């Protein structure tokens, strides 16, 4: 037998028998000295790492990004510096709310995270398949996610929790409308778009800056499931989208997306009619037509799921020179939370795992030690800065140009509450077809009917505020009085809650 075929312990020691535990006599108890058994069991006991608290169920693949248009007047990012330039990527798609073992067909946003291995370090674009989000203040995020998970007593998803929070959070109405349209159940990961959702900043080598939003448009075309199809597939093949992605790449039917950017100058941003940092809003295409920038192609399946997909760690804070954050509060909080989650799940040296390590740029710094430091840990090179022993030096060319910030430090409330209903109203009236509206109303009624009447009334008033026909049809589907909903729709959030408190 060749050495590579010989079974060994984790430390390379040959194993003579992997079927019979060592015992004291034929019928005696197990001996502590069976170190092979102890190693095998103790490793097995530690196989699971903490599940992601959101985006737990996912699939991933490798590929490349190719630049197709000259964008050097907007950004100095080197990976975008030349038409035709290719950069290796790793992409992870996911559902958001449910556990690692849950169904791919769930009604849920889908994560769309891209890691670009650029020559200036890893750049992560950590987006979703929806251009907006439910909330715009990160203080609400843990509460929101709790409502989408399991009830603390029953351990079951709970329509009362789900809709109670949303009906008391009017800014969620745009995302709720998208989620309950058939786009809330994409056919698979290949037939959906990816959006940055947040506004980011691009800056060029003259220190001029632009506000931007990313749209990865599927080249396969948008395809969605109806509620009935999603329910059936969830039962028949809970991993259908994971399998679909893997199989498409295996048969060389490589999925691709065209990257389009919406770009806004600082002048255009000044008096724009929506807050451009509010993640519950889109930038209308007619005001900011998306321009094509590149193409993302997935052509490599992971060889091992745990190594490459479960351990893939993305952070919106991984930005390369030429790309920067914006004041979007949700984005600012994610800059902390993603990295913090990876420290918890994977440990302080998660950047050394092959899928996370910068493949096209060296890692050069003074960080040392920590659990699972499995490279040479900087060898004998200096581990402090400044030093006079030739250690790596900061390069001021990589700094984001300075920008003005002013104002009073306070917990500022959002000041344009009524515009929350404009865009979902446009979506319902102007974008959706008759069939899309029928499906939307049917999907909402089927889910919201599980909640208490007072919650149904509050939530339906929000649909009514977006569009009267929308609210009326949901009210009729739920058997609510349309007149009551009309009255509730003109009240403040607080008055609406008081007025419905007694509804049984
Ligand atoms: P447009 O008519 O130019 O754009 C409408 C866009 O809506 C389409 O391009 C498509 O986006 C998207 N869309 C189509 N069907 C659905 C659906 N069932 N659920 C969600 N999105 C859908 O108008 P505007 O740019 O003025 O936007 C009008 C409304 O469209 C917005 O209020 C917003 O709700 C929605 N929308 C707008 C986007 C934007 O970035 N402007 C992006 C996505 C949605 P896509 O081409 O990205 O598939």
């Amino acid at each position: 037998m060749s050495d590579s075929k010989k079974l060994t312990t984790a430390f390379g020691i040959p194993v003579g028998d992997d079927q019979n535990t060592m015992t004291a006599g034929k019928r005696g108890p197990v001996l502590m000295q069976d170190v092979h058994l102890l190693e095998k069991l103790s490793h097995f006991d530690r196989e699971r790492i903490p599940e992601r608290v959101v985006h737990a169920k996912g699939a991933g693949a490798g590929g490349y990004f190719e630049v197709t248009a000259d964008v050097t007047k907007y950004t100095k990012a080197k990976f975008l510096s030349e038409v035709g330039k290719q950069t290796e990527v790793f992409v992870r798609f996911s559902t958001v709310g449910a556990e690692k073992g849950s169904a791919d067909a769930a009604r849920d946003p889908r994560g769309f995270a891209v890691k670009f291995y650029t020559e200036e370090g890893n750049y992560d674009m950590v987006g979703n398949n929806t251009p907006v989000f439910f909330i715009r203040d990160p203080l609400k995020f843990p509460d929101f996610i709790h409502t989408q998970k399991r009830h603390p007593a029953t351990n079951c998803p709970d329509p009362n929790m789900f809709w109670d929070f949303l009906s008391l959070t009017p800014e969620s109405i745009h995302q709720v409308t998208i989620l309950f349209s058939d786009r809330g159940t994409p056919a698979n990961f290949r037939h959906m778009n990816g959006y940055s959702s947040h506004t980011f900043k691009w800056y060029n080598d003259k220190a001029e800056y632009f506000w931007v939003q990313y749209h990865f448009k599927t080249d396969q075309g948008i395809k969605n499931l109806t509620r009935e199809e999603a329910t059936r597939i969830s039962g028949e093949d809970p991993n259908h989208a994971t399998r679909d992605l893997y199989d498409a790449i295996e048969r060389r039917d490589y999925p691709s997306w065209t990257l389009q950017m919406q770009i806004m100058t600082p002048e255009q941003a000044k008096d724009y009619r929506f807050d451009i940092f509010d993640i519950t809003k889109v930038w209308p295409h007619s005001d900011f037509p998306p321009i094509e920038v590149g193409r993302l192609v997935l052509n490599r399946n992971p060889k091992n799921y745990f190594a490459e997909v479960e351990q893939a760690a993305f952070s919106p804070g991984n930005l390369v020179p030429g790309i920067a954050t914006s004041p979007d509060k949700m984005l600012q909080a994610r800059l902390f939370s993603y990295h913090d989650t990876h420290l918890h799940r994977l440990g302080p040296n998660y950047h050394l795992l092959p899928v996370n390590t910068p493949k096209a740029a060296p890692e050069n710094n003074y960080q040392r030690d920590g659990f699972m430091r499995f490279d040479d840990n900087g060898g004998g090179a200096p581990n402090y800065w400044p030093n006079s022993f030739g250690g790596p030096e900061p390069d001021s060319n990589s700094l984001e140009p300075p920008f003005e910030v002013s104002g009073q430090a306070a917990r500022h409330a959002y000041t344009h509450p009524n515009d929350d209903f404009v865009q979902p109203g446009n979506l319902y009236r102007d974008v959706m077809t008759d069939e899309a509206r029928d499906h939307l109303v049917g999907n909402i009624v089927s889910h919201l009917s599980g909640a208490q009447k007072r919650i149904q009334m509050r939530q339906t008033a929000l649909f009514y505020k977006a569009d009267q026909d929308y609210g009326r049809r949901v009210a009729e589907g739920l058997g609510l009085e349309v007149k009551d909903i009309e009255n509730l729709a003109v009240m403040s959030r607080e008055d609406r809650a008081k007025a419905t408190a007694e509804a049984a």
Side-chain angles (χ1 to χ4, degrees):
M1 197 190 308
S2 73
D3 277 356
S4 67
K5 287 280 180 200
K6 273 188 192 158
L7 183 70
T8 73
T9 69
F11 302 95
I13 302 162
V15 171
D17 183 345
D18 197 33
Q19 294 286 289
N20 300 296
T21 296
M22 194 183 295
T23 51
K26 275 202 165 179
R27 303 183 64 190
V30 171
L31 292 179
M32 278 289 284
Q33 73 176 51
D34 189 349
V35 289
H36 172 53
L37 172 73
L38 302 187
E39 180 195 286
K40 195 169 173 179
L41 290 182
S42 55
H43 191 276
F44 174 72
D45 295 345
R46 290 165 178 77
E47 275 184 6
R48 291 291 170 273
I49 61 173
E51 184 173 288
R52 292 167 169 87
V53 64
V54 284
H55 297 275
K57 175 77 185 292
Y64 66 90
F65 175 78
E66 180 170 340
V67 179
T68 55
D70 182 2
V71 286
T72 51
K73 67 177 172 188
Y74 301 119
T75 176
K76 66 175 193 174
K78 287 203 176 132
F79 80 103
L80 295 171
S81 64
E82 238 178 279
V83 173
K85 186 162 184 173
Q86 291 194 352
T87 299
E88 184 180 347
V89 300
F90 191 82
V91 174
R92 182 174 181 269
F93 304 110
S94 51
T95 51
V96 180
E99 299 85 358
K100 204 167 135 36
S102 57
D104 288 343
R107 181 170 307 285
D108 208 0
R110 302 290 186 269
F112 193 111
V114 187
K115 189 182 288 296
F116 299 81
Y117 299 99
T118 92
E119 67 265 54
E120 296 176 293
N122 289 355
Y123 167 49
D124 294 344
M125 202 301 302
V126 198
N128 276 335
N129 73 327
T130 59
V132 294
F133 198 64
F134 298 89
I135 51 172
R136 55 181 159 241
D137 193 305
L139 262 182
K140 301 186 184 190
F141 189 77
D143 304 281
F144 164 64
I145 292 298
H146 288 169
T147 70
Q148 309 296 295
K149 289 193 175 274
R150 290 167 184 270
H151 186 276
T154 65
N155 200 35
C156 295
D158 185 281
N160 283 320
M161 281 165 65
F162 185 99
W163 291 106
D164 191 28
F165 179 88
L166 294 174
S167 66
L168 294 169
T169 309
E171 67 268 30
S172 62
I173 187 72
H174 195 183
Q175 176 78 324
V176 166
T177 301
I178 295 174
L179 180 67
F180 279 84
S181 77
D182 286 343
R183 285 204 180 192
T185 47
N188 51 53
F189 297 131
R190 293 182 301 128
H191 289 91
M192 64 182 203
N193 295 337
Y195 303 88
S196 62
S197 315
H198 301 292
T199 296
F200 284 88
K201 184 197 275 178
W202 273 9
Y203 57 93
N204 62 22
D205 53 9
K206 297 194 204 93
E208 296 160 331
Y209 73 89
F210 305 86
W211 299 116
V212 300
Q213 295 222 343
Y214 295 60
H215 302 244
F216 287 90
K217 297 289 190 76
T218 170
D219 294 331
Q220 291 68 242
I222 296 269
K223 268 196 205 158
N224 301 313
L225 303 174
T226 62
R227 178 170 83 258
E228 294 75 15
E229 287 167 338
T231 305
R232 180 178 53 74
I233 291 173
S234 294
E236 285 178 2
D237 184 3
N239 306 303
H240 85 281
T242 304
R243 190 185 320 286
D244 172 82
L245 178 67
Y246 192 92
D247 288 351
I249 294 174
E250 280 306 284
R251 64 173 184 267
R252 296 171 182 262
D253 178 10
Y254 300 135
S256 65
W257 286 259
T258 299
L259 173 60
Q260 299 180 347
M261 300 296 296
Q262 286 184 295
I263 299 183
M264 190 185 286
T265 64
E267 292 69 40
Q268 289 172 312
K270 252 186 215 148
D271 301 311
Y272 191 60
R273 64 182 191 278
F274 298 112
D275 178 343
I276 66 156
F277 305 120
D278 173 359
I279 193 175
T280 69
K281 308 284 182 298
V282 297
W283 300 358
H285 291 139
S286 50
D287 292 350
F288 300 98
I291 58 161
E292 186 177 322
V293 167
R295 188 157 171 263
L296 174 74
V297 179
L298 297 183
N299 61 5
R300 186 182 66 78
N301 271 323
K303 288 200 174 65
N304 181 277
Y305 180 86
F306 183 86
E308 290 189 68
V309 187
E310 188 61 11
Q311 296 195 117
F314 301 83
S315 169
N318 288 340
L319 299 161
V320 291
I323 304 176
T325 61
S326 76
D328 176 339
K329 290 186 234 185
M330 290 293 291
L331 171 59
Q332 297 269 319
R334 292 176 78 208
L335 301 179
F336 159 74
S337 215
Y338 280 66
H339 179 59
D340 186 51
T341 299
H342 306 320
L343 295 175
H344 162 64
R345 293 185 69 234
L346 302 166
N349 287 310
Y350 74 89
H351 61 288
L352 297 178
L353 295 166
V355 67
N356 299 327
T357 213
K359 293 188 190 201
E363 181 212 348
N364 268 332
N365 58 41
Y366 299 98
Q367 293 163 25
R368 297 288 187 273
D369 309 350
F371 281 118
M372 302 305 288
R373 184 85 210 196
F374 52 80
D375 62 351
D376 74 350
N377 194 29
N383 58 0
Y384 58 92
W385 176 258
N387 68 69
S388 55
F389 289 97
E393 301 172 27
D395 173 8
S396 60
N397 287 326
S398 65
L399 286 174
E400 178 185 351
F403 55 94
E404 282 288 327
V405 181
S406 65
Q408 288 200 323
R411 296 184 179 274
H412 295 284
Y414 190 73
T415 49
H416 318 278
N418 282 326
D419 68 8
D420 289 337
F421 301 93
V422 174
Q423 294 192 347
N426 292 342
L427 176 61
Y428 180 83
R429 277 185 304 273
D430 306 333
V431 178
M432 289 188 177
T433 59
D434 285 345
E435 186 188 46
R437 278 189 284 266
D438 288 348
H439 288 197
L440 170 73
V441 171
N443 293 341
I444 291 171
V445 169
S446 143
H447 197 291
L448 184 53
S449 57
Q452 294 170 1
K453 187 170 178 195
R454 64 196 179 92
I455 297 173
Q456 291 180 6
M457 291 174 76
R458 282 197 320 246
Q459 182 62 41
T460 306
L462 300 185
F463 297 130
Y464 192 88
K465 278 168 79 82
D467 182 276
Q468 293 188 0
D469 178 66
Y470 184 10
R472 186 183 52 72
R473 289 184 62 185
V474 173
E476 286 169 359
L478 291 168
L480 302 173
E481 289 295 334
V482 177
K483 194 78 203 138
D484 292 343
I485 301 303
E486 262 176 43
N487 292 337
L488 288 171
V490 293
M491 293 181 188
S492 69
R493 184 185 81 159
E494 292 70 23
D495 288 346
R496 224 173 6 252
K498 276 191 216 138
T500 50
E502 302 299 318

